[in-house]
Amino acid sequence: NDATLPLFAEACRNNNEETKQQYHQHYFQYTLDELKQHVNNILTTVDALTMKANSYDLATHPRVPVIVAHNDLVKRTFQKVQAQLNAMG
């Protein structure tokens, strides 16, 4: 509950780019940390779901390879995002 939130909202409504940029700079590290945590959580979840999918019998779950391929795509995408975020600080 930041007391300056109404000022930021006003800057957005008025398209005050200078003020918005000041807020973004001030809160950049907090935003970056939260994004990193979110990406890490997604990667952990994707790994767990892939392991679970791989435990199913293909005879009764023939779509497992498609699910695993999708999970691999998601993982590679988020790993690229993770690398970009890590390069930012």
Side-chain angles (χ1 to χ4, degrees):
N1 288 336
D2 192 333
T4 63
L5 187 59
L7 298 174
F8 178 70
E10 182 179 331
C12 291
R13 283 191 298 273
N14 296 332
N15 204 25
N16 183 336
E17 294 300 324
E18 183 179 335
T19 300
K20 291 192 309 185
Q21 187 60 33
Q22 289 172 356
Y23 278 94
H24 288 305
Q25 287 175 351
H26 178 75
Y27 290 104
F28 174 78
Q29 192 59 50
Y30 300 106
T31 304
L32 181 61
D33 291 344
E34 289 298 319
L35 280 171
K36 285 180 176 181
Q37 182 178 352
H38 173 68
V39 168
N40 290 340
N41 288 340
I42 294 293
L43 287 169
T44 300
T45 300
V46 167
D47 284 341
L49 290 172
T50 299
M51 287 177 28
K52 182 176 180 180
N54 281 324
S55 73
Y56 293 146
D57 180 4
L58 291 178
T60 55
H61 296 86
R63 307 274 307 154
V64 165
V66 174
I67 293 167
V68 170
H70 173 265
N71 288 355
D72 289 343
L73 172 67
V74 170
K75 182 175 181 174
R76 286 191 310 272
T77 301
F78 273 84
Q79 285 173 328
K80 290 177 184 178
V81 171
Q82 184 181 52
Q84 292 285 356
L85 293 173
N86 288 338
M88 295 171 78

